[in-house]
Amino acid sequence: AQKITQTQPGMFVQEKEAVTLDCTYDTSDPSYGLFWYKQPSSGEMIFLIYQGSYDQQNATEGRYSLNFQKARKSANLVISASQLGDSAMYFCAMREALYNNNDMRFGAGTRLTVKP
Amino acid sequence: NAGVTQTPKFRVLKTGQSMTLLCAQDMNHEYMYWYRQDPGMGLRLIHYSVGEGTTAKGEVPDGYNVSRLKKQNFLLGLESAAPSQTSVYFCASSYLGSPLHFGNGTRLTVT
């Protein structure tokens, strides 16, 4: 069963504006971690941000923030002040602490295009 | 630091041929993973390892085998390649609970 859902295959944003990429997840494990990765056209996977299920505050890393709504099981990525270099595929991923032996499962991804 | 190194970067196989993808990490990570990436499907876990000498199946293990004889190396084997195995393969490693560190991928085409 799909545990990570990214419902936006593609998104467009104007340069300097903010954009939200959606991610919902499904788990019965009380302890889990949520991750976002960026994959530019060059193909490498770049870790962006992490949110633990017990973290009280939303994670932030520079222009990236994670809008974590635990009851809704959503972990949306917010990119502020978009730049042309933000154009890439973005993947949401989850790791469950008790189940699945520390493996990480990914969503299908969202392709973000930043317009000048 | 090399991080996670995958070899080869590209490979073309004919149906029925075999090959081995090599992944090496120099970060002393316990955990190693093999994923495949296909358009519209994100990354799907093939096999993973929680330590030297141990392996486990992921979401899509059929047609693949793995071995982890040394902590730093994780091998992915295709015994009889099929066109459905045309994909980009990523190796990754991590500590328990930490983000994954990825290699740069191997693009495999099976004709």
Side-chain angles (χ1 to χ4, degrees):
Chain A
Q2 178 64 272
K3 292 200 168 192
I4 299 286
T5 303
Q6 295 181 252
T7 58
Q8 307 152 314
M11 288 280 288
F12 291 89
V13 65
Q14 207 68 33
E15 193 178 8
K16 299 181 185 177
E17 292 185 349
V19 63
T20 298
L21 306 184
D22 294 342
C23 173
T24 58
Y25 59 92
D26 181 32
T27 182
S28 55
D29 192 332
S31 178
Y32 54 90
L34 298 156
F35 302 77
W36 278 91
Y37 284 84
K38 172 184 178 182
Q39 186 181 43
S41 58
S42 51
E44 72 267 32
M45 295 288 289
I46 302 167
F47 166 67
L48 295 178
I49 195 167
Y50 164 80
Q51 179 85 43
S53 59
Y54 292 118
D55 293 344
Q56 296 296 314
Q57 294 190 330
N58 287 343
T60 60
E61 288 288 347
R63 294 186 298 111
Y64 303 108
S65 61
L66 204 153
N67 183 3
F68 181 46
Q69 299 186 48
K70 194 170 182 177
R72 293 186 174 185
K73 293 188 176 179
S74 74
N76 299 338
L77 178 70
V78 180
I79 305 175
S80 63
S82 297
Q83 302 172 356
L84 295 179
D86 294 334
S87 292
M89 283 290 291
Y90 289 81
F91 293 98
C92 180
M94 178 176 67
R95 170 184 274 149
E96 296 161 305
L98 295 180
Y99 307 137
N100 293 325
N101 215 1
N102 200 43
D103 68 32
M104 188 177 290
R105 304 295 173 102
F106 286 77
T110 295
R111 182 173 298 281
L112 176 67
T113 302
V114 180
K115 295 181 176 180
Chain B
N1 288 339
V4 179
T5 303
Q6 291 182 233
T7 52
K9 290 183 171 54
F10 303 94
R11 186 72 187 267
V12 178
L13 287 179
K14 294 186 177 180
T15 298
Q17 287 184 320
S18 63
M19 77 164 294
T20 300
L21 305 184
L22 171 63
C23 177
Q25 54 96 2
D26 61 1
M27 296 171 283
N28 203 34
H29 286 162
E30 286 294 332
Y31 297 82
M32 295 188 74
Y33 310 82
W34 277 107
Y35 289 89
R36 60 177 289 174
Q37 182 178 18
D38 303 292
M41 305 191 76
L43 280 79
R44 292 182 293 168
L45 183 64
I46 304 171
H47 286 281
Y48 63 101
S49 169
V50 301
E52 182 179 320
T54 71
T55 62
K57 294 180 180 180
E59 301 171 82
V60 288
D62 294 342
Y64 305 94
N65 57 77
V66 289
S67 64
R68 183 118 180 254
L69 299 180
K70 294 183 178 180
K71 185 177 184 178
Q72 63 268 34
N73 295 338
F74 196 29
L75 305 180
L76 178 71
L78 287 72
E79 290 186 347
S80 179
S84 61
Q85 294 177 306
T86 293
S87 188
V88 178
Y89 291 85
F90 282 96
C91 177
S93 69
S94 76
Y95 293 117
L96 176 64
S98 75
L100 301 189
H101 294 256
F102 282 87
N104 287 332
T106 295
R107 186 173 294 275
L108 174 66
T109 302
V110 183
T111 61

